[in-house]
Amino acid sequence: MGAYAGMGYKHLIDLNDFTMEEWKAIIDLALQMHQKPKDFLGLMHGKILGTLFYEPSTRTQMSFQTAMLRLGGQVIGFDNPQNSSVAKGENLKDTITIISNYADIIAIRHPVEGSAKAAAMHANCPIINAGDGGHLHPTQTLTDLVTLSIEKGRTDHLTIGLCGDLKYGRTVHSLISAMRRFPGNRFVLISTPELTVPQFVKDLIQESECTYTEISSLAEAIPHLDVLYMTRVQRERFASLKEYERLKSVYILDEAKMRLARPDLCVLHPLPRVDEIEIAVDNDPRALYFKQASYGVYARMALILKILTEGGETPLLSGCALDVPCSNSNCITRREPYIRPYYRENGNILTCEFCEHQQKRS
Ligand code: CP
């Protein structure tokens, strides 16, 4: 089967859907909005954002809503699918078909990997991925890029430590995927062997000019870092609660570890935090995670404005439809049977185009 080009909208499923020039333009716009927010009030008057949150969220949902309201638009949606017809068994395709005829743009968060791409295939408006299972969270990454641009003055030549749940942490996958495109970045992957990044993320680094090292000790890594990106161990993605309990508190950033760090370290966290950063660290001027969350409004204002004023088209599927089930049981192609699995083929390795899990062709 040939390429699936989508329905002619500019979506944000993966940040790599945008060129570096487009990223730069969105980041520059977000920086202008941060400097002079009043200049952008009302530009989206008459437009409607749909926020479809099939999974809990505080920052992403409300910063999207704040962004659209500050731009003069309006917001519809749900934050609990059990209060929508999803509770009656409505599938993703039908919900998206309906809402995309009500809204001008949709932000969707969903617990199943590849769901944002599947939504884009059936939408009559642009779709923004606000987090799809353990896969990607590109608008968090846009927020992180805006944060680094403001706080560090650059997004290149940085040594970035990522600590905690690197396996299920979709913010980690999206951030690495983006930062490897800037020259001179080095990744220090700080995790237990059970929670290291998936192979597709390591492959992304290896395909770039950036490098990575893996280490299990935060105390050993922290003195060498420009940026420390802490993450929560993602309880909701573990098959076994016992395994979660065993791994959940392995990494705790405290004042003693902060004393080992550079004076200009930038500590980020996508939040919410559980216990991986002690509250006492909040008072350290290097702790920037609350500022980071506030910059998310500017990142999302810039994104909405760019997509709705400039348009464009995002190709969605380029590989082959095969009657081979994806090996990831949390892939949207396994949950919504009308969606055929598409794969990119490399020798006998098949990479799912929805969730990016790899499997050998049998
Ligand atoms: N960073 C982030 O995605 O936070 P929420 O889950 O609260 O949206």
Side-chain angles (χ1 to χ4, degrees), residues 53 56-61 109 130 137 140 170-171 270-272:
F53 277 65
S57 166
T58 297
R59 277 146 292 274
T60 311
Q61 183 193 184
R109 170 170 289 188
H137 192 348
Q140 179 63 50
R170 58 194 174 196
T171 60
L271 303 177

Side-chain angles (χ1 to χ4, degrees), residues 27 212-213 238 313 316:
I27 293 167
Y212 73 90
T213 52
F238 276 74
E313 186 165 351
L316 293 172

